[in-house]
Each structure stands twice: as structure tokens, then as C-alpha cells.
Amino acid sequence: MKFNTKTIHGGQKHDPAYGSVMPPIYQTSTYAQSTPGGHKGYEYSRTHNPTRNALENAFASIENGNYGLAFASGLAAIDAVLKLLKPGDEVVSTNDLYGGTYRLFTRIYEDFGINFHFIGMKNAERIEEYINKKTKLIWVETPTNPMMNVIDIKAASTIAKKHNVLLAVDNTFATPYLQRPLDLGADIVMHSATKYLGGHSDLVMGALIVKNKALADKLYFIQNASGAICGPQDAFLALRGIKTLHIRMQRHCENGRAVAEYLNNHSKIENVYWSGFENHPNHHIAKSQMDDFGGMVSFTTKGNNYEEAIKILENLKIFTLAESLGGVESLAGHPASMTHASIPKEEREKIGVVDSLIRLSVGIEDEEDLIADLKQAIE
């Protein structure tokens, strides 16, 4: 089954009660039993829910995995991965990553004795320099948030397997439409399903997908024991979103390219970060492990002028100034004060998240309207 078909049919079956084409919303906390322990596969909705199970099957299908898990948020999904570790374990993570992930790592799990190494991974061979007997996990985002750096997943996988270390890849920006990390050797794929998978800015959700049953069993236990599950209504919305992922991503990519090229040729713009440019660091890797380059674009104003960046953000009419990304509508954000505010300024600026940086989530509107909006806001 090819990807476009998987988004609609992958892992799905008609509801056995009445043949419903879409999985019903099973808005229930518990299930009737004929005798103690005698039930139809469902006891309590923290453990299993038919709507959530349908979504988890869809997650697994589109990422070419065997097991999918749905969580209450992307951070809840990351939290479950870190609960595989114990005090004294070490994690090698990219240094350019979502601010909430950095906050979870440093403000929560460092206090529990987990040690983190944040490094630039544009040269994936650097990862090996930080691996020792205590290393249990490599954490990768690619493309990264918000600098759009590209990390070689195959190279990271080779290192992980050599040292018997888990490799987890945050695939939120690319989505499985563009990139499938499990096929490239990753052990765990994570998504903030709030973003492109849901696609309509109407839910908050996280996802994990794996191939290995023993690893899946550990994560299912953590999911049930910790309880950070999504509700059936959100599961239904995410299922609906996945069914149009392929056609939405096609337009996100088309519009992203048009916006990136417009900004790259504008005299008032200093730097444009988009992995589709041939001079973008690791463009050749992006070209080999991705099917296109996505709808996320970051840029800085000429001279890295903070006031000019704020003025642009305040004057946008079609792009909405808001956190998050991946919805059908175009969004603009200021990472230094919004999504990455939890990262200390000195650390932010080391990786390029300067005060003039603007991050765009390019939606699926008409590209001429989007470019006209940027033009009036910039000029």
C-alpha cells in the first residue's frame, strides 16, 4: 500500500458494530464485563480505547512501524521515552531543538540524574565523541526547530547500533510524507501530532512509533502506568487530519518553496533557513532522506534588527502571530520570546536563535496572497 493510500486506509477497519467507515468516538471511561475479567478486549480507557487504538494503528502505518502510541501532547510522548532511562544514564541530543524539549531535559530530568550532552549534529560523526558506557539514547530532530538544520539519520543509526544505544527521531517538521526515520534505522519516531498530523490547529497530541515489540511493550506499560493518554475526541480529530496529510503536505511544500525563494531574494532579509536551498548545510542529506523540503522557513532581517523583526510580525495580515505550526493556516512566530524562550539567551544565540529570527509555518493558502502579505509587512 503506497503512502497516499495509507493515510486513508492504513491500519484501519470498518467498525464491527454497524460498519461505520470512520471509527466512532467511544466517549467512555469503562466497559461492561460479563464476568470478572470477561470483556471484549477493553476494560478501562486509560489502558485501551477503540478510537485511540484506531489512531495508533494509523500512526504505525504511515511511519512504516509496527506499533503506535498516542499521548496527550508531544512532550508527554517525549516524557515516556525518557522514562525508559534511569539515574546516571546519559543522552546525546542535538543542540538545536524545540525549547519545550530542552526544558523537559534540563529542568525535569537532569534533576532525576539523567545527564544530557547538547551538540551540533550537522556532522553526525560528532555524536560518537560523546558516547560512553552510560549513554542510552541519541535524540535527533531533523529538520531542527527553528534553524532547519538537517541531520543524517542513517549515520546516526549506524553509531547507535554500534554502541547498542537507542536512536529517537523527532519527525514533526518533516512528517512521514517526507521522511520515514524507522526505514533509515531509527528505533523510535516521535511526533507532536498537534502539528502536521492533526493539521488543523484544533488538538494537542503526541505520538510514538516503533518496530520492536519489546520496546513497544515497555512504552505501552509507561503510557498506561503514567496515564498521559489522549482523549477519544482528539483521537478522532487526528484520524481525520491524517486522511488529508498527503494533499496538505504537497501544498505546504509548494508554498514553502515559493516563500523561501521570495525571502531569499529580498534586499531587507539577511538569512533564510530552508533545507531546499542548494547552499543550505547538508542539503545533499536532505535531498537523500526527504522527498521534499517542507513548509517551515526561518529568516532574519538585514543587520539582525530586532525592532524590524517585531514590526514585521505585528504587521502581518494573513500570517497569524501565534505559537505552534503545521496547521492549514500560515503562522509566524518569534522563537526567542515564544517557542524557545525557555532556552537561556546565550545558549540560543550559539545555535543561531537570535532576537531577529522569525519562524514561518507556511500554510496551504494561495501562495500569491502569502507573498503579498510578507511584502507589505516587510516593506
Side-chain angles (χ1 to χ4, degrees), residues 148-168:
M148 312 303 158
N149 289 315
V150 174
I151 298 167
D152 189 333
I153 298 172
K154 275 188 178 179
S157 171
T158 299
I159 294 167
K161 286 176 170 52
K162 176 181 176 182
H163 296 278
N164 196 28
V165 172
L166 288 173
L167 172 63

Side-chain angles (χ1 to χ4, degrees), residues 42 97 104 176 336:
Y42 296 92
L97 76 171
L104 180 67

Side-chain angles (χ1 to χ4, degrees), residues 29-33 36-48:
S29 60
T30 191
Y31 305 82
Q33 301 187 21
H39 52 77
K40 298 179 180 180
Y42 296 92
E43 300 170 86
Y44 188 63
S45 277
R46 173 171 37 78
T47 307
H48 297 292

Side-chain angles (χ1 to χ4, degrees), residues 19 36 83 88 149 156 238 251 305 315 321 345 351 371:
K83 284 174 178 167
N149 289 315
R251 179 57 65 86
N305 189 308
N315 285 321
L321 176 58
K345 182 180 175 69
I351 58 174
I371 289 172

Side-chain angles (χ1 to χ4, degrees), residues 16 61 63 76 79 81 91 108 115-116 141 151 201-202 224 235 238 244 289-290 303 309 323 335 346 364 371 377:
S61 176
E63 279 286 7
D79 181 72
V81 174
V91 178
I108 304 294
N115 299 308
F116 296 86
E141 276 186 21
I151 298 167
S201 301
D202 55 7
N224 183 48
T244 59
Q289 71 184 21
M290 298 171 67
E323 301 222 5
E346 182 180 341
I364 65 172
I371 289 172

Side-chain angles (χ1 to χ4, degrees), residues 108-126:
I108 304 294
Y109 278 94
E110 279 188 350
D111 287 347
F112 291 131
I114 309 297
N115 299 308
F116 296 86
H117 302 280
F118 296 97
I119 66 168
M121 292 185 179
K122 282 184 280 190
N123 178 0
E125 292 177 2
R126 286 198 67 208

